[in-house]
Amino acid sequence: MNEKRSSFTGKLGFILAAAGSAVGLGNIWRFPYLAAKYGGGIFLLVYLILALTFGFALMAAEIALGRKTGLSVVGAFKALDKRFAWLGYLAALVPMIILPYYSVIGGWVTKYLAVYLTGDAHAAAGDEYFGGFISQTGEPLVWFFIFMALTALVVVLGVDKGVEKVSKIMMPVLVVLALVIAVYSLFLPGALEGVKYYLIPDFSNFSATTVLAAMGQLFYSMSLAMGIMITYGSYMKKDVDLEQSVHHIEIFDTGIAFMAGLMVIPSVFAFSGGDEAALGKGPGLMFITLPKVFDSMKGGAIIGALFFLLVLFAALTSSISLMETVVSFFQDKFGWGRKFTSIVVFIFCLLMGIPSSLGNGVWADIRIMGFQFLDFFDFISNSVMMPVVAFLTCMFVGYIVKPKTFIDEISLTGKFKSEKLFVVVIKYVAPVCIVLILASSILDVLGIMKI
Ligand code: PHE
């Protein structure tokens, strides 16, 4: 079965493979715009606290679940308790919702790489450029298809190892480049205000929505609550220190997100002249702000091209892991061949992604609960389904199977240092917080109760 599932995760170092899945558009594109929108420093603070508690405990639980059972998501839940296979299905549904719209954004990155390679860097810095691009009908669709096809090609050809090797070099380069861009943008006139906004928490910006957004982002960024880490865990060797691996992935993932924020948010202040409305730009923030930074830099066109190339790779390693999960799910479920399954998933994603792309243009007036398509899929997966899956996983680990099974698995290589934290978070803190936050924010979205 492992053979069939391609060797992407199997033969490579666990941390690298997991980090390849975790680090992606979530860190570079999604984190900065959420931090900008939800209060800057307070969002960062809440995110960090959640990462060290929820993120740690859930990731450890998921990886332990996978390693203990040696199975991917549905099988893993079922193996520990027959009555819970449905939870595996629910988790497996999440990547199917994310992959199509993730690929729409992946398409935007591909487009920007092409723009920088063809010498249009200056035009891309124009105020109307991004909006003009995504509101078209044909072009964003073409780039979305290209990104989706790249992902599918890697999955079908099973050349993930090649991609992984390249990204092993690309990732450190991305870190260095992000650092260079961040430092550069800190020195832009007016940027200091942005640094303050990003780093100093302002408690008056705090709300349940801040916590929900940070929590959804945490799950998304660390590829949690959707079965992916369970599958990765199933490939992890018994002699690897699980606790330490979780810490490594967390530090890496959070570090990149933090730097992406430092790259984007101060620049927003620098280029908007301190106009706070610019912070609420949403999904377009990175695409609007960074081209301006590159345009103001010497050699910015080259830096821009390099940047979008690196982001494209980070996005691809994530989308490949998303597609792998979906494909292997159907393979296992229906016994279909790998090629056939990949084609089915590819077509499904193309169809599902079209509304997310057109929702920025011709279909902008079609709203679901007030959201455009892309934002709706993002909301349903990140703010509803993932918290629900996370809550149920906590129940499963904490009360159905009991933490001991997991603690034993994590302690295989030595003492589980954060055992107490693990138990308290899984049994009490996480479930209570998730329910409270989920309830209040859903009421908020439905307009029933303003918080
Ligand atoms: N974690 C990835 C990111 O930050 C997104 C992703 C989610 C990848 C789920 C795989 C699974 O971009």
PDB file of all heavy atoms in Angstrom, residues 417-441:
ATOM      1  N   LYS A 417       8.427  15.130  27.362  1.00  0.00           N
ATOM      2  CA  LYS A 417       8.646  16.248  28.283  1.00  0.00           C
ATOM      3  C   LYS A 417       7.386  17.057  28.540  1.00  0.00           C
ATOM      4  O   LYS A 417       7.149  17.532  29.629  1.00  0.00           O
ATOM      5  CB  LYS A 417       9.755  17.152  27.745  1.00  0.00           C
ATOM      6  CG  LYS A 417      11.105  16.469  27.713  1.00  0.00           C
ATOM      7  CD  LYS A 417      12.212  17.464  27.390  1.00  0.00           C
ATOM      8  CE  LYS A 417      13.425  16.759  26.817  1.00  0.00           C
ATOM      9  NZ  LYS A 417      13.288  16.354  25.401  1.00  0.00           N
ATOM     10  N   SER A 418       6.589  17.276  27.507  1.00  0.00           N
ATOM     11  CA  SER A 418       5.412  18.126  27.699  1.00  0.00           C
ATOM     12  C   SER A 418       4.147  17.304  27.904  1.00  0.00           C
ATOM     13  O   SER A 418       3.069  17.712  27.479  1.00  0.00           O
ATOM     14  CB  SER A 418       5.237  19.056  26.506  1.00  0.00           C
ATOM     15  OG  SER A 418       6.437  19.680  26.191  1.00  0.00           O
ATOM     16  N   GLU A 419       4.294  16.194  28.561  1.00  0.00           N
ATOM     17  CA  GLU A 419       3.145  15.298  28.728  1.00  0.00           C
ATOM     18  C   GLU A 419       1.948  15.982  29.408  1.00  0.00           C
ATOM     19  O   GLU A 419       0.815  15.869  28.950  1.00  0.00           O
ATOM     20  CB  GLU A 419       3.586  14.080  29.548  1.00  0.00           C
ATOM     21  CG  GLU A 419       2.506  13.044  29.684  1.00  0.00           C
ATOM     22  CD  GLU A 419       2.956  11.858  30.541  1.00  0.00           C
ATOM     23  OE1 GLU A 419       4.133  11.441  30.425  1.00  0.00           O
ATOM     24  OE2 GLU A 419       2.125  11.362  31.322  1.00  0.00           O
ATOM     25  N   LYS A 420       2.237  16.710  30.482  1.00  0.00           N
ATOM     26  CA  LYS A 420       1.142  17.364  31.222  1.00  0.00           C
ATOM     27  C   LYS A 420       0.403  18.354  30.330  1.00  0.00           C
ATOM     28  O   LYS A 420      -0.813  18.374  30.264  1.00  0.00           O
ATOM     29  CB  LYS A 420       1.698  18.099  32.440  1.00  0.00           C
ATOM     30  CG  LYS A 420       1.970  17.190  33.604  1.00  0.00           C
ATOM     31  CD  LYS A 420       1.546  17.859  34.935  1.00  0.00           C
ATOM     32  CE  LYS A 420       1.832  16.921  36.080  1.00  0.00           C
ATOM     33  NZ  LYS A 420       3.305  16.806  36.340  1.00  0.00           N
ATOM     34  N   LEU A 421       1.202  19.182  29.652  1.00  0.00           N
ATOM     35  CA  LEU A 421       0.614  20.174  28.750  1.00  0.00           C
ATOM     36  C   LEU A 421      -0.275  19.469  27.724  1.00  0.00           C
ATOM     37  O   LEU A 421      -1.403  19.889  27.446  1.00  0.00           O
ATOM     38  CB  LEU A 421       1.742  20.947  28.041  1.00  0.00           C
ATOM     39  CG  LEU A 421       1.291  21.941  26.979  1.00  0.00           C
ATOM     40  CD1 LEU A 421       0.825  23.223  27.648  1.00  0.00           C
ATOM     41  CD2 LEU A 421       2.406  22.259  25.988  1.00  0.00           C
ATOM     42  N   PHE A 422       0.254  18.408  27.174  1.00  0.00           N
ATOM     43  CA  PHE A 422      -0.467  17.627  26.160  1.00  0.00           C
ATOM     44  C   PHE A 422      -1.840  17.193  26.685  1.00  0.00           C
ATOM     45  O   PHE A 422      -2.874  17.441  26.068  1.00  0.00           O
ATOM     46  CB  PHE A 422       0.388  16.406  25.788  1.00  0.00           C
ATOM     47  CG  PHE A 422      -0.257  15.470  24.809  1.00  0.00           C
ATOM     48  CD1 PHE A 422      -0.261  15.764  23.455  1.00  0.00           C
ATOM     49  CD2 PHE A 422      -0.857  14.292  25.235  1.00  0.00           C
ATOM     50  CE1 PHE A 422      -0.850  14.899  22.545  1.00  0.00           C
ATOM     51  CE2 PHE A 422      -1.456  13.419  24.339  1.00  0.00           C
ATOM     52  CZ  PHE A 422      -1.451  13.727  22.989  1.00  0.00           C
ATOM     53  N   VAL A 423      -1.847  16.596  27.849  1.00  0.00           N
ATOM     54  CA  VAL A 423      -3.101  16.066  28.390  1.00  0.00           C
ATOM     55  C   VAL A 423      -4.088  17.193  28.687  1.00  0.00           C
ATOM     56  O   VAL A 423      -5.269  17.126  28.311  1.00  0.00           O
ATOM     57  CB  VAL A 423      -2.826  15.231  29.665  1.00  0.00           C
ATOM     58  CG1 VAL A 423      -4.135  14.771  30.283  1.00  0.00           C
ATOM     59  CG2 VAL A 423      -1.948  14.037  29.334  1.00  0.00           C
ATOM     60  N   VAL A 424      -3.591  18.243  29.340  1.00  0.00           N
ATOM     61  CA  VAL A 424      -4.496  19.332  29.717  1.00  0.00           C
ATOM     62  C   VAL A 424      -5.091  20.013  28.481  1.00  0.00           C
ATOM     63  O   VAL A 424      -6.293  20.293  28.415  1.00  0.00           O
ATOM     64  CB  VAL A 424      -3.754  20.357  30.614  1.00  0.00           C
ATOM     65  CG1 VAL A 424      -4.614  21.581  30.859  1.00  0.00           C
ATOM     66  CG2 VAL A 424      -3.357  19.715  31.929  1.00  0.00           C
ATOM     67  N   VAL A 425      -4.246  20.237  27.490  1.00  0.00           N
ATOM     68  CA  VAL A 425      -4.743  20.901  26.281  1.00  0.00           C
ATOM     69  C   VAL A 425      -5.747  20.011  25.565  1.00  0.00           C
ATOM     70  O   VAL A 425      -6.847  20.452  25.205  1.00  0.00           O
ATOM     71  CB  VAL A 425      -3.578  21.276  25.331  1.00  0.00           C
ATOM     72  CG1 VAL A 425      -4.115  21.727  23.983  1.00  0.00           C
ATOM     73  CG2 VAL A 425      -2.723  22.366  25.947  1.00  0.00           C
ATOM     74  N   ILE A 426      -5.396  18.764  25.375  1.00  0.00           N
ATOM     75  CA  ILE A 426      -6.276  17.870  24.609  1.00  0.00           C
ATOM     76  C   ILE A 426      -7.604  17.622  25.335  1.00  0.00           C
ATOM     77  O   ILE A 426      -8.671  17.620  24.727  1.00  0.00           O
ATOM     78  CB  ILE A 426      -5.575  16.508  24.358  1.00  0.00           C
ATOM     79  CG1 ILE A 426      -4.397  16.690  23.406  1.00  0.00           C
ATOM     80  CG2 ILE A 426      -6.571  15.461  23.842  1.00  0.00           C
ATOM     81  CD1 ILE A 426      -4.734  16.744  21.953  1.00  0.00           C
ATOM     82  N   LYS A 427      -7.532  17.436  26.632  1.00  0.00           N
ATOM     83  CA  LYS A 427      -8.767  17.073  27.339  1.00  0.00           C
ATOM     84  C   LYS A 427      -9.646  18.267  27.677  1.00  0.00           C
ATOM     85  O   LYS A 427     -10.864  18.183  27.614  1.00  0.00           O
ATOM     86  CB  LYS A 427      -8.437  16.325  28.636  1.00  0.00           C
ATOM     87  CG  LYS A 427      -8.019  14.893  28.381  1.00  0.00           C
ATOM     88  CD  LYS A 427      -7.838  14.137  29.670  1.00  0.00           C
ATOM     89  CE  LYS A 427      -9.129  13.543  30.165  1.00  0.00           C
ATOM     90  NZ  LYS A 427      -8.863  12.431  31.121  1.00  0.00           N
ATOM     91  N   TYR A 428      -9.013  19.364  28.054  1.00  0.00           N
ATOM     92  CA  TYR A 428      -9.839  20.474  28.569  1.00  0.00           C
ATOM     93  C   TYR A 428      -9.734  21.759  27.758  1.00  0.00           C
ATOM     94  O   TYR A 428     -10.731  22.259  27.246  1.00  0.00           O
ATOM     95  CB  TYR A 428      -9.475  20.764  30.034  1.00  0.00           C
ATOM     96  CG  TYR A 428      -9.447  19.520  30.879  1.00  0.00           C
ATOM     97  CD1 TYR A 428      -8.241  18.994  31.342  1.00  0.00           C
ATOM     98  CD2 TYR A 428     -10.632  18.851  31.191  1.00  0.00           C
ATOM     99  CE1 TYR A 428      -8.219  17.827  32.109  1.00  0.00           C
ATOM    100  CE2 TYR A 428     -10.616  17.682  31.951  1.00  0.00           C
ATOM    101  CZ  TYR A 428      -9.404  17.181  32.410  1.00  0.00           C
ATOM    102  OH  TYR A 428      -9.388  16.033  33.151  1.00  0.00           O
ATOM    103  N   VAL A 429      -8.540  22.294  27.680  1.00  0.00           N
ATOM    104  CA  VAL A 429      -8.406  23.651  27.122  1.00  0.00           C
ATOM    105  C   VAL A 429      -8.882  23.723  25.679  1.00  0.00           C
ATOM    106  O   VAL A 429      -9.734  24.555  25.327  1.00  0.00           O
ATOM    107  CB  VAL A 429      -6.936  24.135  27.218  1.00  0.00           C
ATOM    108  CG1 VAL A 429      -6.835  25.566  26.739  1.00  0.00           C
ATOM    109  CG2 VAL A 429      -6.426  24.000  28.639  1.00  0.00           C
ATOM    110  N   ALA A 430      -8.347  22.858  24.838  1.00  0.00           N
ATOM    111  CA  ALA A 430      -8.698  22.950  23.423  1.00  0.00           C
ATOM    112  C   ALA A 430     -10.188  22.735  23.165  1.00  0.00           C
ATOM    113  O   ALA A 430     -10.820  23.575  22.507  1.00  0.00           O
ATOM    114  CB  ALA A 430      -7.847  21.984  22.599  1.00  0.00           C
ATOM    115  N   PRO A 431     -10.791  21.667  23.684  1.00  0.00           N
ATOM    116  CA  PRO A 431     -12.223  21.473  23.378  1.00  0.00           C
ATOM    117  C   PRO A 431     -13.088  22.649  23.843  1.00  0.00           C
ATOM    118  O   PRO A 431     -13.940  23.118  23.088  1.00  0.00           O
ATOM    119  CB  PRO A 431     -12.599  20.203  24.144  1.00  0.00           C
ATOM    120  CG  PRO A 431     -11.325  19.537  24.488  1.00  0.00           C
ATOM    121  CD  PRO A 431     -10.235  20.558  24.459  1.00  0.00           C
ATOM    122  N   VAL A 432     -12.836  23.127  25.048  1.00  0.00           N
ATOM    123  CA  VAL A 432     -13.668  24.223  25.563  1.00  0.00           C
ATOM    124  C   VAL A 432     -13.496  25.473  24.706  1.00  0.00           C
ATOM    125  O   VAL A 432     -14.473  26.101  24.266  1.00  0.00           O
ATOM    126  CB  VAL A 432     -13.319  24.521  27.040  1.00  0.00           C
ATOM    127  CG1 VAL A 432     -14.026  25.780  27.507  1.00  0.00           C
ATOM    128  CG2 VAL A 432     -13.686  23.338  27.922  1.00  0.00           C
ATOM    129  N   CYS A 433     -12.239  25.818  24.438  1.00  0.00           N
ATOM    130  CA  CYS A 433     -12.002  27.032  23.640  1.00  0.00           C
ATOM    131  C   CYS A 433     -12.602  26.898  22.249  1.00  0.00           C
ATOM    132  O   CYS A 433     -13.223  27.829  21.733  1.00  0.00           O
ATOM    133  CB  CYS A 433     -10.506  27.291  23.501  1.00  0.00           C
ATOM    134  SG  CYS A 433      -9.774  27.791  25.039  1.00  0.00           S
ATOM    135  N   ILE A 434     -12.406  25.750  21.643  1.00  0.00           N
ATOM    136  CA  ILE A 434     -12.899  25.595  20.268  1.00  0.00           C
ATOM    137  C   ILE A 434     -14.412  25.784  20.223  1.00  0.00           C
ATOM    138  O   ILE A 434     -14.934  26.506  19.378  1.00  0.00           O
ATOM    139  CB  ILE A 434     -12.500  24.219  19.691  1.00  0.00           C
ATOM    140  CG1 ILE A 434     -10.983  24.136  19.520  1.00  0.00           C
ATOM    141  CG2 ILE A 434     -13.171  24.000  18.328  1.00  0.00           C
ATOM    142  CD1 ILE A 434     -10.460  22.769  19.123  1.00  0.00           C
ATOM    143  N   VAL A 435     -15.116  25.163  21.160  1.00  0.00           N
ATOM    144  CA  VAL A 435     -16.575  25.276  21.142  1.00  0.00           C
ATOM    145  C   VAL A 435     -17.013  26.726  21.345  1.00  0.00           C
ATOM    146  O   VAL A 435     -17.836  27.254  20.591  1.00  0.00           O
ATOM    147  CB  VAL A 435     -17.204  24.380  22.230  1.00  0.00           C
ATOM    148  CG1 VAL A 435     -18.661  24.737  22.444  1.00  0.00           C
ATOM    149  CG2 VAL A 435     -17.080  22.921  21.821  1.00  0.00           C
ATOM    150  N   LEU A 436     -16.406  27.387  22.329  1.00  0.00           N
ATOM    151  CA  LEU A 436     -16.801  28.768  22.595  1.00  0.00           C
ATOM    152  C   LEU A 436     -16.559  29.662  21.388  1.00  0.00           C
ATOM    153  O   LEU A 436     -17.417  30.442  20.968  1.00  0.00           O
ATOM    154  CB  LEU A 436     -16.005  29.315  23.789  1.00  0.00           C
ATOM    155  CG  LEU A 436     -16.392  28.763  25.154  1.00  0.00           C
ATOM    156  CD1 LEU A 436     -15.508  29.371  26.235  1.00  0.00           C
ATOM    157  CD2 LEU A 436     -17.866  29.085  25.420  1.00  0.00           C
ATOM    158  N   ILE A 437     -15.385  29.518  20.833  1.00  0.00           N
ATOM    159  CA  ILE A 437     -15.009  30.405  19.743  1.00  0.00           C
ATOM    160  C   ILE A 437     -15.806  30.123  18.483  1.00  0.00           C
ATOM    161  O   ILE A 437     -16.279  31.024  17.793  1.00  0.00           O
ATOM    162  CB  ILE A 437     -13.503  30.265  19.485  1.00  0.00           C
ATOM    163  CG1 ILE A 437     -12.755  30.851  20.663  1.00  0.00           C
ATOM    164  CG2 ILE A 437     -13.099  30.953  18.208  1.00  0.00           C
ATOM    165  CD1 ILE A 437     -11.363  30.346  20.775  1.00  0.00           C
ATOM    166  N   LEU A 438     -15.959  28.845  18.229  1.00  0.00           N
ATOM    167  CA  LEU A 438     -16.706  28.461  17.035  1.00  0.00           C
ATOM    168  C   LEU A 438     -18.141  28.986  17.121  1.00  0.00           C
ATOM    169  O   LEU A 438     -18.648  29.598  16.190  1.00  0.00           O
ATOM    170  CB  LEU A 438     -16.713  26.934  16.941  1.00  0.00           C
ATOM    171  CG  LEU A 438     -17.107  26.348  15.618  1.00  0.00           C
ATOM    172  CD1 LEU A 438     -16.137  26.816  14.536  1.00  0.00           C
ATOM    173  CD2 LEU A 438     -17.090  24.826  15.683  1.00  0.00           C
ATOM    174  N   ALA A 439     -18.759  28.770  18.265  1.00  0.00           N
ATOM    175  CA  ALA A 439     -20.142  29.195  18.426  1.00  0.00           C
ATOM    176  C   ALA A 439     -20.262  30.707  18.265  1.00  0.00           C
ATOM    177  O   ALA A 439     -21.084  31.197  17.490  1.00  0.00           O
ATOM    178  CB  ALA A 439     -20.653  28.773  19.790  1.00  0.00           C
ATOM    179  N   SER A 440     -19.390  31.444  18.944  1.00  0.00           N
ATOM    180  CA  SER A 440     -19.556  32.894  18.891  1.00  0.00           C
ATOM    181  C   SER A 440     -19.275  33.427  17.496  1.00  0.00           C
ATOM    182  O   SER A 440     -19.939  34.340  17.026  1.00  0.00           O
ATOM    183  CB  SER A 440     -18.671  33.571  19.925  1.00  0.00           C
ATOM    184  OG  SER A 440     -17.329  33.380  19.604  1.00  0.00           O
ATOM    185  N   SER A 441     -18.328  32.823  16.810  1.00  0.00           N
ATOM    186  CA  SER A 441     -18.019  33.396  15.503  1.00  0.00           C
ATOM    187  C   SER A 441     -19.056  33.006  14.465  1.00  0.00           C
ATOM    188  O   SER A 441     -19.343  33.761  13.551  1.00  0.00           O
ATOM    189  CB  SER A 441     -16.633  32.981  15.055  1.00  0.00           C
ATOM    190  OG  SER A 441     -16.694  31.726  14.497  1.00  0.00           O
TER     191      SER A 441
END
